[in-house]
Amino acid sequence: MKIDLTNTTSSRINAALMDARRASGSTAAGMVLTLVIVTDEGSAYDALKAANDASREHPSRTLAVIKRAGRSPRARAETRLDAEILVGSDAGSGETVVLRMHGELASHAQSVVLPLLLPDAPVVVWWPDNAPLNPAQDPLGALAQRRITDAVTAESPVGQLAQRASGYTPGDTDLAWTRITGWRSMLAAALDQRDVAITAAVVEGESYNPSVELLGLWLHNRLRVPVERVVTGGPGITSVTLRTKDGDIVLDRPDGLLGTLSMPGAPDRMVALKRRDTAELIAEELRRLDPDDIYATAVRTPVDRLRERIAGVEHAGPGGTVEGHAAEHAVAEHAVGEQETPAAAKKAAARKKNAQ
């Protein structure tokens, strides 16, 4: 069932939800949380599809907030709320309300969302992209017990981790962290089978992927060993190597689908490490609404703790990017060359004079 409301209010939306529920033959809500999605028109379809798929595991009321402040003075002066209500099969296992806020109303989205929250139920806010610098201080984020961002959508994904660390508040999380759950589980299970001392670790993955950095920082914190970050062509994380005196423990996934776990003195084993879609990631995050202390420790660790190099190239130096270090090295060589040219000329002249 689909209901369109133009130039409406929160109370009318609530009334329409009640009528739709009665029309479908259900008087009870039966939902466990409210999921607020803050997005734009371009990302709304994919975000709503992921939320609807996740609602089959977590029945929820999904509120999609789309801010349309307007570009012209006339458009900004027109304050209006349009709503699209989806109930039944169109909304997964819950209810979906798409809220399009025009004009000045876009700056006060929390006043529209607050009356639509399910009573006595947790609130989760998800920014598929363009997340605020400090989610907990955002007016909508302040309503939530859990706040989900995605660093991979930022202009500088790895640099975004520093921003997440500086503004971290218990309840914050990022889908870049959720993507490495399978890797963390497999590596922890491998170390549970063998009591060995890890001396170093190597994490390989594509550039500009914050999940690779987070996995390396997690290993650094848990194992207290130096971790090297190697840039490869991907997709995603391609390999993790744990070095021991008996040999390397390697978890390799070159194709993004199936991984191979290799351990000294044991046959290789195939493990499932498929790259998951957004719906699976959101469903995982909705399973727990308490603060994730392990994520907090990992994201607060400076990225320059990892030694970075590109596959097949010499060590690129701590922190930053391989391209940045290469550029700095080229500039330094050029500067040194310019500085040495006069000195070399003087030495050549002195040698010539002595020879005469």
Side-chain angles (χ1 to χ4, degrees), residues 81-92:
L81 172 63
D82 297 334
E84 181 181 340
I85 300 175
L86 303 173
V87 179
S89 59
D90 293 330

Side-chain angles (χ1 to χ4, degrees), residues 25-95:
S26 175
T27 57
M31 288 168 282
V32 298
L33 58 89
T34 302
L35 175 61
V36 181
I37 305 174
V38 187
T39 184
D40 54 24
E41 292 286 1
S43 304
Y45 176 81
D46 291 335
L48 284 171
K49 186 178 183 302
N52 289 344
D53 291 343
S55 72
R56 304 186 187 281
E57 182 178 340
H58 309 278
S60 58
R61 172 176 289 181
T62 301
L63 305 176
V65 177
I66 301 176
K67 301 179 181 181
R68 307 181 68 176
R71 297 181 180 179
S72 65
R74 176 177 294 181
R76 289 192 292 271
E78 183 185 5
T79 300
R80 191 177 81 247
L81 172 63
D82 297 334
E84 181 181 340
I85 300 175
L86 303 173
V87 179
S89 59
D90 293 330
S93 296
E95 301 170 341

Side-chain angles (χ1 to χ4, degrees), residues 1-5 8-31 33-35 60-64 81 83-88 90-91 93-99 112-119:
M1 180 184 296
K2 179 180 176 181
I3 303 172
D4 288 323
L5 299 176
T8 186
T9 63
S10 296
S11 59
R12 291 176 186 170
I13 295 172
N14 262 323
L17 285 170
M18 291 294 295
D19 292 341
R21 200 178 301 141
R22 293 192 189 97
S24 64
S26 175
T27 57
M31 288 168 282
L33 58 89
T34 302
L35 175 61
S60 58
R61 172 176 289 181
T62 301
L63 305 176
L81 172 63
E84 181 181 340
I85 300 175
L86 303 173
V87 179
D90 293 330
S93 296
E95 301 170 341
T96 298
V97 182
V98 182
L99 303 167
V112 178
V113 170
L114 186 59
L116 299 176
L117 302 179
L118 291 172

Side-chain angles (χ1 to χ4, degrees), residues 134-314:
N134 193 327
Q137 293 183 3
D138 182 82
L140 286 172
L143 301 175
Q145 287 78 41
R146 192 77 162 171
R147 294 163 294 276
I148 305 173
T149 56
D150 194 354
V152 77
T153 62
E155 187 71 22
S156 175
V158 177
Q160 191 72 7
L161 295 180
Q163 183 61 51
R164 294 284 163 259
S166 63
Y168 176 81
T169 301
D172 291 355
T173 191
D174 197 281
L175 294 186
W177 174 254
T178 317
R179 291 184 180 95
I180 64 174
T181 299
W183 287 88
R184 294 191 294 124
S185 299
M186 290 295 177
L187 293 170
L191 294 180
D192 283 343
Q193 300 174 30
R194 190 177 292 266
D195 185 14
V196 293
I198 307 299
T199 59
V202 180
V203 181
E204 302 182 18
E206 62 186 354
S207 182
Y208 307 110
N209 190 326
S211 296
V212 184
E213 268 72 19
L214 282 175
L215 182 57
L217 296 174
W218 174 73
L219 289 171
H220 173 74
N221 287 323
R222 296 288 114 182
L223 301 176
R224 302 297 179 185
V225 297
V227 178
E228 185 176 25
R229 194 263 199 249
V230 180
V231 178
T232 65
I237 303 170
T238 54
S239 177
V240 175
T241 302
L242 305 179
R243 305 202 185 281
T244 73
K245 63 179 182 179
D246 299 327
D248 293 347
I249 300 173
V250 181
L251 182 56
D252 185 54
R253 187 195 64 178
D255 58 0
L257 295 173
L258 197 64
T260 303
L261 179 62
S262 304
M263 302 178 66
D268 293 351
R269 286 179 291 174
M270 309 300 290
V271 295
L273 270 179
K274 181 179 75 72
R275 302 186 74 191
R276 297 179 293 169
D277 58 25
T278 307
E280 294 177 277
L281 300 176
I282 290 297
E284 178 184 328
E285 284 300 334
L286 296 181
R287 290 184 197 127
R288 53 173 300 173
L289 301 179
D290 56 319
D292 192 340
D293 296 332
I294 300 177
Y295 163 73
T297 302
V299 78
R300 283 172 168 169
T301 304
V303 177
D304 58 11
R305 296 285 180 87
L306 305 179
R307 296 179 300 166
E308 183 176 315
R309 68 177 173 87
I310 196 167
V313 178
E314 282 189 18

